[in-house]
Amino acid sequence: MARFRATVLARGRELYRDLPWRGTRDPYAVWVSEVMLQQTQVSRVDGRWQRWLARFPTPEALAQAPTADVLAEWQGMGYNRRALSLARAARAVVEAGAFPREEEDLLALPGVGPATAAGVRAFAFDLPGVYLETNVRAVFLHELFPGEAGVADKDLVPLVRATCPPDSSDLEDDPRTWYYALLDYGAHLKRTLPNPSRRSRAHVRQSRFEGSHRQKRAEVVRILLAHPEGVRAEQVSDELARMEEAAGREGVATADVRALLRELAGEGFCHESGGNWRP
């Protein structure tokens, strides 16, 4: 493992990316970057992360923001549910009085999984943990499982845990530095080789978005945001039909749109009042 760690640290120094969110130790700002970077390209997050923090600079600001404002700021980042989870988690942080640093407390926040919790601990607090995301996974597969397919995360987790520095006593080899090195080396491998993470059992090809139920949900949310004063289901159906037909797909029946609206309302995206739907 010593040889593996030396290789990763050397490649990390060589390939280091000076990304905006690496200049802060504010756990809230780090957390927002981690959520944005899930299944989203770094180039897409650079700019949107700064804009989000300008609009919602603290957990308190996000916790107090109307749902419509939160969803509007998130548009274009995919998975609107993540924006709602950010807002709900911000309210939990405000209620707790401080941003949590222990894994158990981070995992209790809405929408926070093991990788996000480990990322916040490493990058905001320089604490150890198992930060297993796609770039990190790529490095372990490339270096330690060459040519093997179907490698399970249960085989990687003990290695990730064992190789992470236990504390920040060595400023050149602390949890933050270690995971930055893994991320940057992994990103390089995925650009220059057949993606090693595809050999992971956890690798799942993303389902088609265009024409999917998820795509229609996203369009309905956009329609609602364009009508903050409220809009009737029939108008939502008409606007969605025009969007679908412009894309060469069949329109959506009003009954199906009503079902979509009820589904979204049940998740907190919108509400109905007097026959009008609002975000």
Side-chain angles (χ1 to χ4, degrees):
M1 279 302 167
R3 185 173 180 178
F4 168 74
R5 295 193 78 261
T7 296
V8 171
L9 289 169
R11 298 311 307 270
R13 287 189 293 270
E14 174 191 348
L15 300 165
Y16 181 76
R17 296 174 295 175
D18 188 16
L19 301 172
W21 40 90
R22 294 186 177 181
T24 181
R25 298 194 182 193
D26 175 7
Y28 168 69
V30 169
W31 167 54
V32 171
S33 74
E34 286 297 303
V35 175
M36 286 187 167
L37 288 164
Q38 293 172 14
Q39 296 179 310
T40 307
Q41 292 182 345
V42 167
S43 59
R44 195 174 174 189
V45 174
D46 190 1
R48 294 300 301 270
W49 176 77
Q50 295 92 320
R51 200 172 88 180
W52 179 278
L53 292 179
R55 188 165 187 178
F56 312 118
T58 63
E60 290 78 11
L62 179 56
Q64 295 167 10
T67 298
D69 290 354
V70 174
L71 289 172
E73 190 58 47
W74 191 261
Q75 292 307 288
M77 295 299 292
Y79 295 97
N80 286 311
R81 189 178 287 108
R82 290 177 183 162
L84 290 188
S85 293
L86 278 167
R88 289 169 180 152
R91 289 192 282 273
V93 168
V94 171
E95 185 175 342
F99 207 98
R101 56 189 285 156
E102 298 305 321
E103 182 181 24
E104 181 180 359
D105 297 328
L106 286 163
L107 289 173
L109 295 176
V112 174
T116 302
V120 171
R121 280 172 55 81
F123 305 134
F125 301 114
D126 218 349
L127 293 170
V130 178
Y131 183 55
L132 184 55
E133 60 83 72
T134 181
N135 287 342
V136 173
R137 191 179 282 115
V139 175
F140 279 85
L141 290 170
H142 175 71
E143 292 286 344
L144 302 180
F145 296 86
E148 291 190 41
V151 180
D153 278 357
K154 68 180 179 63
D155 296 321
L156 298 178
V157 165
L159 300 174
V160 178
R161 179 179 291 112
T163 53
C164 179
D167 54 44
S168 59
S169 58
D170 184 344
L171 297 180
E172 295 184 356
D173 186 14
D174 52 22
R176 180 187 294 108
T177 302
W178 173 242
Y179 281 124
Y180 284 162
L182 282 166
L183 287 171
D184 295 344
Y185 184 23
H188 171 76
L189 290 172
K190 289 164 68 176
R191 286 194 308 269
T192 56
L193 298 174
N195 184 355
S197 63
R198 291 175 184 163
R199 295 191 284 106
S200 164
R201 192 178 299 174
H203 178 75
V204 178
R205 182 183 291 272
Q206 192 168 5
S207 60
R208 180 181 175 86
F209 178 70
E210 293 301 324
S212 67
H213 182 72
R214 185 162 59 92
Q215 180 260 336
K216 291 176 177 60
R217 282 169 51 101
E219 293 292 359
V220 169
V221 169
R222 278 193 279 272
I223 292 168
L224 293 172
L225 291 173
H227 298 279
E229 73 287 352
V231 59
R232 303 191 77 80
E234 293 79 5
Q235 185 175 347
V236 176
S237 180
D238 289 343
E239 293 191 24
L240 181 59
R242 286 196 292 272
M243 291 178 181
E244 292 293 288
E245 289 164 5
R249 296 187 292 267
E250 292 185 5
V252 182
T254 300
D256 292 333
V257 170
R258 290 185 186 279
L260 272 174
L261 288 165
R262 289 193 296 271
E263 178 182 311
L264 290 166
E267 297 173 27
F269 285 96
C270 60
H271 65 278
E272 188 267 341
S273 177
N276 286 321
W277 292 86
R278 296 177 174 83

